[in-house]
Amino acid sequence: MQFSSYEDAKAWLDDERPNLIAAVTALKAQGRHGRSVALAWFVGLYLANRWHYDDLVAVTETVLAISHLPNGSNVLVAKVLAALGRELEHHGSHEKHGLLASAVDAQARALAIFREHGDRRCEAWALVNFSRLLHEDRQLREAGEALDQAAAIFHEVNDQDGVDEVDWVRSCLSLSGQA
């Protein structure tokens, strides 16, 4: 499908939103988990951009359910959960605080899957994401510990960008007057 303008594409997405949400769930029900997860990634980004939070939670819950199925805990699923969790966290921190519980569920599961598969770099990034959620929940000591673990892993895998991100997040949390 090709659109003549950004506005046309956006209008199509807005019109098809209920069908896109249903497709994510239907693909899961049909056992087409990989396709459901891939579609959830893109639909989730659209939903976050358009502030359709209830639908974003529903898509995230579908991916969470897939992650608990046999062969459902793979790195792609974890990456989608981390991305959706980031969107929920961002909007939960600024617009609708009720989203934070879903963000915690998504990030916690992503972290567990990255650990299960030994993906140390992604584990560290998930710890950074999780630290922000812990901070938002006023669990300041735990947020600091998550950042410490992330920094140690980033040093271990020689990822200077990750180390810099930990330092930046730590300074942002400190600037908030709560860390």
Side-chain angles (χ1 to χ4, degrees):
M1 180 172 287
Q2 197 168 356
F3 299 100
S4 59
S5 69
Y6 173 77
E7 289 75 25
D8 288 345
K10 191 168 56 171
W12 181 86
L13 284 166
D14 289 341
D15 289 343
E16 293 298 322
R17 178 173 54 95
N19 295 327
L20 292 167
I21 306 305
V24 170
T25 304
L27 287 167
K28 175 194 168 276
Q30 295 169 3
R32 298 166 74 186
H33 303 141
R35 290 184 184 197
S36 179
V37 170
L39 182 58
W41 180 306
F42 294 109
V43 170
L45 294 176
Y46 155 74
L47 294 170
N49 184 279
R50 300 296 282 166
W51 298 17
H52 295 294
Y53 304 124
D54 292 339
D55 290 338
L56 180 59
V57 169
V59 166
T60 303
E61 288 174 352
T62 298
V63 178
L64 275 168
I66 289 169
S67 79
H68 291 289
L69 295 173
N71 301 319
S73 76
N74 59 57
V75 173
L76 173 63
V77 168
K79 287 181 178 182
V80 172
L81 286 172
L84 295 173
R86 266 303 274 135
E87 293 298 330
L88 289 164
E89 180 241 322
H90 172 75
H91 293 288
S93 297
H94 297 98
E95 288 101 17
K96 190 173 177 184
H97 294 285
L99 300 175
L100 292 174
S102 293
V104 168
D105 290 346
Q107 291 297 354
R109 184 67 181 139
L111 180 58
I113 293 170
F114 290 135
R115 284 180 172 158
E116 174 185 329
H117 288 276
D119 190 328
R120 299 289 282 164
R121 182 171 277 116
C122 286
E123 176 185 348
W125 284 105
L127 283 162
V128 172
N129 291 340
F130 207 63
S131 74
R132 285 191 297 267
L133 288 165
L134 291 166
H135 182 266
E136 186 71 28
D137 194 37
R138 305 284 192 257
Q139 297 180 47
L140 305 181
R141 182 181 54 76
E142 293 86 349
E145 289 171 359
L147 286 173
D148 292 343
Q149 290 174 32
I153 294 170
F154 284 133
H155 283 294
E156 171 190 317
V157 298
N158 200 29
D159 184 339
Q160 188 57 47
D161 290 337
V163 172
D164 293 344
E165 179 73 10
V166 167
D167 292 341
W168 184 79
V169 169
R170 194 181 306 276
S171 70
C172 289
L173 298 182
S174 294
L175 289 174
S176 73
Q178 299 170 358

